[in-house]
Amino acid sequence: MVSQQADLLLVNGVIDTLDARMPRTHALAVSGGKVLAAGEEALDSRGPSTAVLDLAGGYVMPGLLDVHNHHLLAGQMDLFELDVPPTLDLDSLLAAVAEYAAGLGPDEWLLGGSWGAGLMQAISTPEALARFDAATGGRPALLKDDSKHNRWANSPALKLAGIDAHTPDPDGGQILRSADGRATGVLVEAAGVLAEKTLARLQPVSTGDLARAAARGIEILHSYGITGFQDAATSLQLMQALKELDDAGTLQAWVVTSMQANDFIFGTEPLGEGIIAHRGDLRSLHHRPDFIKIFLDGVPPAGTAAFIEPYLPSAGFPACHCGETTLDADALEIWLLGTAARGISAKIHCTGDASVRLVLDTVAKVRAAGWDKPKYHIAHGQFVHPEDIARFAELNVTADISPSLWFPGVISEAIATVLPAERASRMQPNRSLLDAGARIAGGSDWPVSVSPNVWEGVYGLVTRQNPLGGFPGALWPEQAITLEEAIRVYTTACAEAMGIEDVAGSLAPGKSADFVLLSADPYTIPIDEVRNITAQQTWFAGSLVFDTAAQTARQPAGEPAA
């Protein structure tokens, strides 16, 4: 029996709490932005000033979580950049560039993406560069690929960045060149930083614009029912913007940040200790800067993912090319032991099985040294050697997975061109990981993925098929997981992985009242229809932040949860 009066009461629907004490109920009470009670106790908390939300038979569940996205990049693309799907062919891409360029000033940079990784060879020619120059109308341009690891710069951007036939390849990157040695504009991995730093110097972005872009990214996440997430590669400037939003009372999501320890993609500064030094000052009610981010390798289509066995000899790489890690074993051990001693966790980008193994070997040393509290995420980890699967659970390492990066699509097709078929088809052993007791947490890697739609990810986890069509077949269907397991991947497992299980992941009394009203109960419809589920309303800390009927974010109605 609760004596406290509810601010808000949900009734007349199906509410999945994901709380073991009352997994499913018909009523939920909210007070002070937190869950007060469920079931009959919730009904008993109704008072004269209690607002009642009649669900009209609808389905409610905890707010969805995303363990891996880049919400700032997505917000910037939505507000300030060209945003096209990576499925476009070269002609369509250049047509979109020309149309967008027509609305820009003569000296304004044209930014955005995404070009598909499968276009890399087609755009790496002097002829393609000339067409790119013509489409951009003489203004500098820099486009990201679908992985966000590689760039395509036009001639004015190359000139501003000082990249020409005599520019050496930077460590960890490559400037693709024509047969006569001229730069074609394709900048692989760290080579793109040369252009990104030039852009940052010539066209700096204010903290206010960063805050605006971050807020826009969160608005979009709300429209998908997402109320908490981990930004997977965070700069000091973004952390300052998040603190600014939270101080103003407008950060309406649980945000865990991953401070960049190294970087060969974005070109941001400072890195590592230069960011970590500010984490205490930038921590706030809804912002938890609790992780570092380490890029340990690149991506398979560029030959920069680190594998135990070689890439295809016909893929255009040197003989017996396996890729390599960005840090050696000693350097990774120094990072993980040094941060573990300060209670800092780590998200580590790995797309090849050799980098996955190096992380597991290093975490084993951290655990042996007595550091059992830091959390470790192997981000992406599409390829895991069978001998390493059991080690995830043994070492309490989370598999941070993004289904859009491996179910049939442009990325999996690009990977299939550089790896033997038997290996390329063995991506993301989710069933094996769960059976071994590992934690799998779901992420979108948005805007690498076209959207952060959780239900498309759930569909992919259950069917191993592309939810949008256009790419037939199923990828390694034996690794499918159940619907209930897939929903946990985006709720309770995410909360545990991110370290926010004290406030999110389930609708247990005392936790933040973050919930989503869905268009359908996923357990009562065919799996083929699950991919079409949408958020009708999204609530954060007891306040309505998205309503599909209004198509707008609402101002908070009460105090945020503590």
Side-chain angles (χ1 to χ4, degrees), residues 75-102:
Q76 287 176 319
M77 290 182 70
D78 184 78
L79 293 176
F80 309 126
E81 298 181 2
L82 171 68
D83 185 6
V84 295
T87 51
L88 297 184
D89 60 21
L90 180 56
D91 289 343
S92 299
L93 174 63
L94 291 174
V97 167
E99 181 179 359
Y100 188 80

Side-chain angles (χ1 to χ4, degrees), residues 478-520:
E478 295 83 359
Q479 293 296 328
I481 67 176
T482 69
L483 176 63
E484 181 177 5
E485 289 169 332
I487 289 174
R488 293 275 181 180
V489 161
Y490 288 99
T491 50
T492 53
C494 261
E496 292 169 2
M498 293 160 59
I500 59 171
E501 66 271 32
D502 58 320
V503 291
S506 66
L507 292 171
K511 289 191 177 184
S512 185
D514 310 336
F515 56 89
V516 56
L517 172 63
L518 298 177
S519 60

Side-chain angles (χ1 to χ4, degrees), residues 173-188:
Q174 183 181 10
I175 300 167
L176 297 192
R177 306 171 196 270
S178 61
D180 59 2
R182 288 180 292 164
T184 63
V186 178
L187 307 173
V188 177

Side-chain angles (χ1 to χ4, degrees), residues 293-423:
K293 170 63 177 290
I294 295 174
F295 289 96
L296 196 57
D297 66 357
V299 291
T304 52
F307 284 98
I308 295 170
E309 298 179 30
Y311 285 81
L312 276 173
S314 59
F317 303 120
C320 298
H321 176 70
C322 293
E324 60 185 17
T325 57
T326 62
L327 302 176
D328 62 22
D330 289 342
L332 183 62
E333 183 177 345
I334 289 170
W335 265 113
L336 296 193
L337 283 173
T339 49
R342 290 173 278 177
I344 301 172
S345 301
K347 183 183 287 288
I348 307 168
H349 170 108
C350 305
T351 59
D353 55 6
S355 56
V356 170
R357 177 167 290 180
L358 177 56
V359 172
L360 294 170
D361 289 346
T362 309
V363 172
K365 296 176 181 178
V366 173
R367 300 302 192 208
W371 304 111
D372 58 352
K373 291 185 179 179
K375 300 176 182 295
Y376 295 101
H377 299 178
I378 288 181
H380 309 311
Q382 292 103 314
F383 296 95
V384 182
H385 193 281
E387 293 177 5
D388 291 326
I389 286 174
R391 302 177 70 197
F392 279 77
E394 293 167 1
L395 296 168
N396 192 17
V397 172
T398 295
D400 157 359
I401 64 169
S402 301
S404 61
L405 303 189
W406 54 262
F407 57 50
V410 292
I411 292 178
S412 62
E413 286 188 348
I415 290 174
T417 67
V418 299
L419 294 179
E422 176 66 17
R423 288 166 54 200

Side-chain angles (χ1 to χ4, degrees), residues 28-157:
L28 191 77
V30 175
S31 178
K34 298 180 181 180
V35 175
L36 177 63
E40 292 302 317
E41 283 195 355
L43 295 177
D44 290 341
S45 70
R46 182 173 180 174
S49 61
T50 299
V52 178
L53 176 61
D54 186 344
L55 300 174
Y59 177 85
V60 165
M61 67 176 292
L64 299 167
L65 303 174
D66 186 335
V67 80
H68 191 126
N69 71 37
H70 303 276
H71 77 292
L72 174 68
L73 293 181
Q76 287 176 319
M77 290 182 70
D78 184 78
L79 293 176
F80 309 126
E81 298 181 2
L82 171 68
D83 185 6
V84 295
T87 51
L88 297 184
D89 60 21
L90 180 56
D91 289 343
S92 299
L93 174 63
L94 291 174
V97 167
E99 181 179 359
Y100 188 80
L104 298 177
D107 298 320
E108 189 175 355
W109 283 67
L110 189 155
L111 306 172
S114 304
W115 51 272
L119 287 179
M120 186 174 291
Q121 296 306 314
I123 65 176
S124 185
T125 67
E127 295 75 20
L129 180 59
R131 294 182 64 193
F132 189 19
D133 291 345
T136 52
R139 58 184 56 78
L142 189 64
L143 300 181
K144 303 178 182 72
D145 76 338
D146 50 13
S147 73
K148 305 298 183 282
H149 279 239
N150 307 303
R151 305 290 187 270
W152 189 21
N154 69 353
S155 296

